[in-house]
Amino acid sequence: AQSTSARAAIACAGAVLLGLVAIVVIRQRVRIWPAIVFLRDTRARLQAGVATKLDVLQAETQLRAIKTR
């Protein structure tokens, strides 16, 4: 009976850990998504001639900074 309880506890802990990892991944994606959209839009504005290469570099730097947090 003890080994069954131990296995159940380990399985439960594993499920909790997976849930926590999923939360971290979702939070990271929510945080990064606006910077990805901003970079995409800035690149489109560069192609249209209304943004500069510096604007794109700043957007890339912003995304990189968010990814490393």
Side-chain angles (χ1 to χ4, degrees):
Q2 265 188 343
S3 65
T4 304
S5 296
R7 283 185 218 163
I10 291 169
C12 183
V16 169
L17 182 58
L18 284 176
L20 292 173
V21 168
I23 289 169
V24 169
V25 168
I26 290 167
R27 283 184 178 173
Q28 184 179 22
R29 286 183 181 173
V30 166
R31 200 177 68 226
I32 289 174
W33 185 249
I36 291 171
V37 171
F38 183 72
L39 175 57
R40 182 198 64 200
D41 292 349
T42 304
R43 286 178 173 158
R45 289 177 38 241
L46 176 65
Q47 291 296 319
V50 294
T52 65
K53 289 182 182 180
L54 178 60
D55 294 329
V56 173
L57 288 173
Q58 288 173 331
E60 290 171 344
T61 302
Q62 178 185 6
L63 177 58
R64 216 171 293 119
I66 291 170
K67 283 183 174 181
T68 58
R69 287 186 206 153

